[in-house]
Amino acid sequence: MAGKTVRDIMSKDCVTVTLQDNVYEIALKMKQHDIGFVAVVDGKKLIGVVTDRDLVVRGYAEKHSGSTAVEKVITKDIATIDSNTSIEEAAKIMAKNQIRRLPVVENGELVGIVAIGDLAVRGSFEDEAGQALGKISSDKTPVGAR
């Protein structure tokens, strides 16, 4: 498995939305596809992402309705990688940024998504996936501790 790149394990069938969509439409796509992450694109250009947590924290917890624009809940400052990035490097980036999903872009255009599960399921990278997940899950305040 040495020398494998993100291209070898990434999901290429990405569910996306545009800035013309709203919070309800994002939630519906997440439900229909059983996912918690949607890329926001302009054509094929990646401009941000929305997670299920974004919908809750920036959407519903702020009392926004389902007709609220994507712009209110989008995360624009996101880590991305190139499809030629090594799987080990992708795991390091995910751990460093404490993220479970990493958009793959070429020339600014979305070409795939690498999820933390892809690191373990699609190759012999259980150690990298475990280390990345451990880092992502560490330093979190336990539920109810605030």
Side-chain angles (χ1 to χ4, degrees):
M1 291 296 282
K4 288 239 177 203
T5 65
V6 168
R7 178 180 283 117
D8 299 318
I9 64 166
M10 70 183 187
S11 298
K12 295 176 182 123
D13 297 327
C14 304
V15 176
T16 63
V17 295
T18 70
L19 290 176
Q20 282 69 50
D21 290 307
N22 62 40
V23 168
Y24 171 76
E25 291 163 327
I26 296 169
L28 190 59
K29 280 194 177 191
M30 287 182 178
K31 179 181 178 185
Q32 289 170 337
H33 297 277
D34 193 27
I35 55 176
F37 174 97
V38 176
V40 181
V41 295
D42 182 6
K44 290 185 179 182
K45 183 180 189 294
L46 179 68
I47 55 176
V49 300
V50 176
T51 65
D52 46 7
R53 185 173 192 280
D54 292 332
L55 289 179
V56 171
V57 173
R58 292 192 202 122
Y60 301 118
E62 295 292 325
K63 298 185 179 180
H64 290 297
S65 70
S67 62
T68 299
V70 171
E71 192 70 40
K72 294 281 188 188
V73 297
I74 189 174
T75 299
K76 288 186 177 180
D77 186 22
I78 54 172
T80 62
I81 54 172
D82 182 89
S83 61
N84 293 318
T85 303
S86 73
I87 294 170
E88 295 87 352
E89 184 62 23
K92 288 177 187 173
I93 291 168
M94 293 170 93
K96 178 183 173 219
N97 292 292
Q98 296 188 337
I99 54 176
R100 297 173 190 266
R101 299 168 202 92
L102 191 55
V104 182
V105 297
E106 290 178 1
N107 301 315
E109 294 186 355
L110 181 68
V111 295
I113 302 285
V114 173
I116 194 82
D118 294 331
L119 300 179
V121 174
R122 297 197 185 163
S124 300
F125 293 97
E126 289 84 4
D127 288 345
E128 286 86 346
Q131 289 171 9
L133 187 57
K135 187 100 167 174
I136 292 165
S137 300
S138 70
D139 300 326
K140 302 283 184 189
T141 304
V143 173
R146 293 185 185 191

